Every structure is written in structure tokens, then in C-alpha cells.
Amino acid sequence: MPIFYKPKGKLSKKDQSLARLENFRKEISTDCHIIPLEELCHRFSTDPVTGLTSDQAAEVLKRTGPNMLTPSKKRSEILKFLEALFQGLLWIGSGLCYISVLVLYMTSEDNELDMDNVVLGAVLIIVVLVTGSFMYYQERKSQGIMESFARMVPAKATVIRGGQIEIIQSADVVLGDLIDVKFGDRIPADLRIIHCQNLKVDNSPITGESEPQFRSNSYTDDNYLETKNVAFFSTSVVEGTGRACGDQTVMGHIAGLTARLQPNKTPMAKELHRFMKIISVWAVSLGLTLGITCLILGHTLIETLLFAIGMIVANVPEGLLATVIVCLTVTAKRMASENCLIKKLESVETLGCTSMICSDKTGTLTQNRMTVCHIWYNGTVQDVDFNKMKQKKQQQNETEPEKGDVGKNLIRCATLCNRAEFMPGEERKPILQRQVRGDASEGAILKFVESLNLLGSNFKDLNPKLIEIPFSSSTKYQLSVHNIESDRCLIVMKGAPEVILERCSHILHENNTQIMTPEMLNMCNAACLDFAEMGERVLGFCDYKMEPRYTKDFPFSTEPANFPQRGLRFLGLIALIDPPRPQVPDAIRKCKSAGIKVAMVTGDHPVTAKAIALKVGIITDSTIHQFTTMNSVRKFATTINAPGAVVLHGGVLRNLLQDELDDLLFKHSEIVFARTSPTQKLQIVEGYQRLGEIVAVTGDGVNDAPALKKADTGIAMGIAGTEVSQQAADIILMDDNFASIITGIEEGRRIFDNLKKSITYTLASNMPEILPFLAYSFIAIPLPIGVVGILCIDLLTDMMPAISLAYEKAESDIMLRPPRNPLRDRLVNRKLYFLAYGNLGMLEALGAFFVYFVVMAEHGFLPKTLIGIRDEWESHKNLNDSYGRSWTHHQRQVLQCTCYTAVMMSVVVTQWTNLLACKTRYNSLLKQGKSHICDDIENETSPQEWKIWY
């Protein structure tokens, strides 16, 4: 069969959108960071000194368009509102009500108007308008992803055109522009760096790295996201200056991918759609069956139509949609008090059936603040406990630093060789809670040394800095010279341990300065390796007491340096880490006991990611396979049978085939993905979804936005999260705490259980509403209950008890059950139908008929005389009862209204006992205990809110 293709440029809008989406799914492929600068300048027709001319820039702008994110196509808000309103079975029910009214009005001799169906139709319309408006309001709050991206775009950019510095709108930046950036600027486009000085950028929105990253003009990696000679669009310069040449943007890639992704339909939405479809088929089938039977029994076409419409309306659960909305809203409010802000109501239940959590590391599993955790000196490791260390130091005799405590020398060096400062106005706060101006690692060391306070207050001011060599990515150390002890000067240095050790010829060991022997060097390197394997960042410290000729008046110079920089004395190591949140290990244990798998997906280094995964319990297996090449993955897949835990680098993930990724995800429950790009995070989520998992994703950066939107439940951070991630997510954690997710999962499972209870309770009253119509049609008895009675039951007396079940406490084993499988464990299944219709509903119907016949018998119409008298009952002629008394039409109508009331009250009373029967699904009522809706509401609302309920 031939396949016909549309000519290029003739694709439909849908096909064009899909093509763009597939293009955005691909990793960015460019060589702009690899090719020599001369070739790059030739490609963009620019000059590395003078940049483009104004005419060249205008021509390029006309050809390529403005430097801005392409906005997604917006749908009309009116269409969205109408779409939210015009869906569901209630519109059909209201329409049938008015068709019934119209038919009866046109066929009756006195143009009788059926007010019962008029009222019912109006109420159904009100219910659907209110619930539809509420759903539209909830959806409206979740929009604005592209607006959030746009707010990250810098307004101005400093460019060099024709050798002159100009400040222009960032939208006017073009390919080949020479950009000048400095501290505090936002990057106006993806830039190839051609010259910089101590340039640091905050890449956390793109890569998720918590610390500022050094940039240089040297190509360091084939991966566009890893190389150091590229600065990304919308990231911030936190230190230094630089000049760069413009390129296409990673941010635009992420924005396009996020905007065009279509999130999966939630399990709750699928369940409600399925339930409404089943109810529709059931109602229409009953209506058609009744209509055909009535025609066979000789009823007129008009009577048959009225019977069929009445049966369909009786099957419409008028209050169910409102009950579901209220139940979800109640749970969303409860979760808000637990620091989970729900943006999309259906996400409450989706979180409950989550089977896989893909969690970011920084800020979610960890505290997002660097902290000193270990110090190493004198050949031993000391755990940092501020109180114990301070007490220990105070008990020691005060001695000269050179001759006394080794740790004090290390603290002195760490204090002096530190550029971080506390923010003004923070003096009254505890030291660990103060805000710091400076690098995250230096801020952590500042808080550490200030908490110890071993050197006294103002030690840094009493020993002023004479000269400094700042930290840079090329040297990997920071050095400063200080005036101490009258006119003597001291060199202090910190940096990467390997760099510091290379410059040291001595070591302070056992309170003595000794020559650095190979054994000593090996001991230091072993300590560094131990810290690195724990995922800690290690800094080495050394000092050097200068000769007497180096006084504070000496003309120090850094270029060239006129003071010693080698032959220093090694003091020790300080290890820092972004510590796990204390609640996280317990939360992950609860996840695993509930059958939920947890994977870490982070942009950080594999060693750090693995260490944190071990600390929090994501990895518990003693066998850990760490893959850095494709061959190692494929070899592992063919030769290793034991699963074990897996640490996978993003560079390897990029080259995995879909089947290989699915196989890896299926076989291993403990996986850590490190150095992942935004596209790879999306790839991981889609892989788990292909395996049938219900995936929740946590994230806080722009790089997490595509995965957050594609996940079944996207969970963004409320404190550290970017606006883009919060717009793409369904739930926002206001405390950035992973443990709050467990609360959400428990609430999600609870609401699923409680919704099943509410639906069972609601459907049970359908039988005493349906069977009277069947009896009215088939055995021709006077109608036992009217439409208004049905309306009172469904929208008044049943509503509050059904809503009260939303407040029902979770059953004790709710977090010990495996996650709900949406394909098997349905919201409405055969068991629920049997319980609602075949058990509880039939008992209620028997009670309703018993009351009906008793009322009729008390007024003279025995059960045997009621059968077959429907037509005579509804005629305007007089009718004799079982005792021969004559009843007028008006008297019969009064008696029938009495029956309506009695049957309605019978259903209401039996629904009370039904409420008790629906309180639990698994536990016994005695084990679960009883509660009252007012007690629960009073516990969960403020006094002002409590007044509203009354």
C-alpha cells in the first residue's frame, strides 16, 4: 500500500508541532564550542575584538528574528471555559428532563407542566456550571509556563558593535554579537567564551549544579552542557567578567520541549471518564430496555418515551461529581497544611498510586546548603560537632600556634583564607542561620570557624590581609598574606588537595613541623580519597611563616609574585557536603515498605550522587555497578545475573537505545542517574512510563521542567524552585522536603479509599430510586417516589454524608499495601457494583417498598389491589380502595405525595446504616473506630472557618 507524504511546508499544524517536539527531544548538537575561534568568527562573520557592525547586526536580525523564546500557541480562554463546562453526563440528564417536560406539555390536554423535571433539570445545570467553573479555575492557575520562561530572559545586554560598547534589548542580540558580561549580569544568549577573568556562573537553572561554576576560554568537553567555554542563556554571572560570542540557546530548547509536551491523563481522570461511560451505557441500556418492554406491553409512544427518560434520569448520579470535587478539595486543603500545595486536584489521587519516584538531589534529598562535616589533621578524622569540639578546645591549654594545637592552626588558616562575609543586620541571629555573601563552600567554612570561636572575636580584623591571589579554575587555589604578630607575615592557602600538597614540603604532625615524606603524602591522599568516596568536597589548607624581611610594609606583588609560593607547611583537610535532610532516610524507608521505588536523577557528579544515595537509603544493595561507558553497560547486561544497584552517567544514557534503557530500568530497582541533561531526565520518565509505572518527579530548576510536565505527578520545590518548575508541576512542596511527599502519597491513597466509599454510598441509593420506576412500568402500581424526592436524596441528604467520608481516617495498613495498579484496581469495579447495587441497594429498595405498601395499606389500598391500577390512579375519575371507599383524583395525589415522603425518608434512614457499612474497606469498624465529620472538620479548620460551616 503506498504511503502519501505531504509536500514540505504543507504539514498540518498538528504534524508541525509533533515534528518540533521530536526535534526538541534530541540532545543539542553543535560544534560551536569545539571549533577554533578563528573558524567561529568566520562562520558568524564577526570580529573577536570589534564585533559585528550595526548594519551586519540588523541584517542578521532580519534573517533570524529576535532573540526571544517562541511563545506557545494560546487557546481562547472562552473555549477552555466552555470545554470545562460541556462535559459529563449531567448535561444529558438535564436535557432529557426538559425533553420530558416538553413532551408532556405538548401531549397533555390541559398543557400540564411537569415542575418536578423542570426543577431537576435546573438543579443539574447549576451543579454542572458550578463544578465546571471550579475545574476551569483550577486549570487556569496551572497555566503560564512560557510566561515563566519569558520572565527569566534578561531585558538588556551589553554588546560591542563596531568596536563601540552599546546597551541594547536582549531580544536584539544576534548570532555573532560580541557580548560583555560582568558580575550580576544575566547571560542574554548561549555564549562561546573568548576571554574571561575569574568568571563564575550560576548554572543551577540549567544543569542543577548547586555551586557556581568556573568558566574559561578553553574547550574541555565534547558535551555542550559540560564544557567550560560556554555560558548558558538566562544563567547569572556571580563573579568575574568575560567576553563571548553569541549562539543558539539551551534555554530555548528546554522551553520548547516543555511547552509542547502533552502530560498524561491522570489515573483519576481516566477512572472518572470510565465510570461516567459505564453509567451512561447502563442508564441508556435500561432506558431502551424499558422502552421496548413498554411498547410490547401496549403503552403509547409518549408514555414509553416518558418512562425511558425517567429511568435514564434516575440512573444519573447527580451529586457524584460535586462529591468528588469536594472530596479532592478537602484533601488538597489538608495537604496544604502539610506543606503540599496542590495545583491540580486530580493530582492528589495520582500521587497516591505512584509506584516510582524520580527525585532530584540538591534541595530535595539534601538541605541545599554546604556544611562542614569532617576535618582531618594530625593523621586522624574528626567528625564536626560544634558543641563538643568547642568544649574540647576550651579545655586545652593556650599555647602558641606553631607549638601547640594542630587543629587551631588549621582553624586559623581557614579563618584568614576566606573571602565570605556575613550579611549586615544578621548579628542577632544564630551563626548557622545567618545569610552569607560569598561562595557556598566559603560560607560553610565561615560558619564553622565562627561557631568554634577558638581565635576570639575580630581575629580577621586584627590580622589584616596585605595581598591576595583569588581562586581560579586554572590555579585551583586561593592565597592571601596577612600581618600577624607585630610585623611578621603569614601566608595562608587553600584549594584542591592535590594542588596544595604539591606546594608543601612540610606537614604539621603530632604538634611538630615535619618533612613531608612519601608515607605522609600517601596518608594525606588516602584521606582525600575516603572523603571523595563519601561524596564530600575536600579542601586542603597550608601556611608559611615568612622571613622577618617580609613586613607589612613590604611591596607585595602578584604579577610576578615576589614572595614564596612553594615549600609551604600542610595543615590538614576540611570536608564539606550538602547534608541529607534528616527526615529523608525514614521517608525513603516508608516508600519502600509501601512498594514504591525511588531513583535519583541529578545533574551532580556520580561520586557525590552515589554517596548521598547511600546515606539516604536509595541504594541499599552492597553491590554497586557504576557505568561510565556504553561497552560496560552492554557487557553487564549480557554477563551479570545479580541485579545490584546501578549508577549511570548521563553521557552513557545519551547513547542507550530505548530497549536497552527499558531493560535496565526493568531489572534494577535501585538506580542513580548522574550528570543528566533535561532531555535525559525526560527520557528516564518516559522509560518508566513505558513499563507501566506511575511516575512522580521532583525538581527545582528549569532543567527539570520537561520531566515535571511529562510525569504523572510533577512535584516542584516551593523555596528553591524556579518559577518555571513550579508552573510545570502539579504539586509544590512549600518546605522543599522529600518527606512531605510521603504525606502526599498517604493522603492520595486515603482519598482513593474514601472516594470508593463515597461512590459506594452514593450508588446504593440508586436502587430504591430505579426499582420504583420499574415497578411503576411493569406491574403498573402508582409511582412510589417522585423526581423531587430523588433530587432531595441525591443533592441534599446524600451529599453531606458522602462528603463526610472524605474526612475518614486512613486505615492502619494503607502504607503497607503495594501501589494501586490503575489497570487492575479500578475506582469502580464489579465488587463495588455488586456491593452498591446487589447488596446495600437491594436492602434499601426492600425497605422503601415495605414503607410504600404500609402507607398505602394504612390508607385503604392493600398491596394486591395496587397492582395494575396505575392508569385508573392517574385518571381524573374517582377510584375505590380495598374497602370500597371512593377517592378523588386530588385525594389520591395527596396520598401519593405522602408515599413520596415516606419512601424518601426510608431511603434516608437506610443510608445512615449504609454510611456505617461504607466507613471501612479492609479493617473492621471496631478496629477503625468511629469519628464524626464535625470533629474532623473542627480539628482541621480554624475558628473562622468553623463558623462558615454553621
Side-chain angles (χ1 to χ4, degrees), residues 95 146 242 408 421 426 491 557 682 749 777 808 880 940:
M146 288 307 296
K408 195 167 185 177
E421 298 176 348
E426 300 279 317
I491 295 176
S557 172
L682 175 62
R749 293 187 176 191
S777 303
E808 197 62 40
N880 293 332
E940 298 180 14

Side-chain angles (χ1 to χ4, degrees), residues 173 268 282 395 579 664 905:
V173 173
M268 175 58 68
W282 168 252
Q395 290 173 353
L664 197 67
M905 292 306 300

Side-chain angles (χ1 to χ4, degrees), residues 24-30 33-34 207 221-227 232 250 253 602-603 627-631 633-634 647-661 664 673-684 690:
F24 283 127
R25 284 180 184 275
K26 300 174 183 177
E27 292 285 344
I28 292 179
S29 178
T30 181
H33 61 296
I34 300 174
T207 64
D221 200 298
D222 289 340
N223 186 353
Y224 189 64
L225 295 174
E226 296 287 343
T227 186
F232 301 114
V250 173
H253 195 83
T602 179
F627 301 122
T628 55
T629 64
M630 275 297 303
N631 290 334
V633 176
R634 287 170 178 155
V647 178
L648 192 64
H649 193 285
V652 179
L653 178 61
R654 184 184 302 111
N655 298 318
L656 280 180
L657 300 176
Q658 182 173 301
D659 291 342
E660 292 174 328
L661 175 61
L664 197 67
F673 299 94
R675 285 290 190 227
T676 52
S677 67
T679 306
Q680 290 164 355
K681 292 184 178 184
L682 175 62
Q683 184 183 354
I684 293 165
R690 284 194 298 270

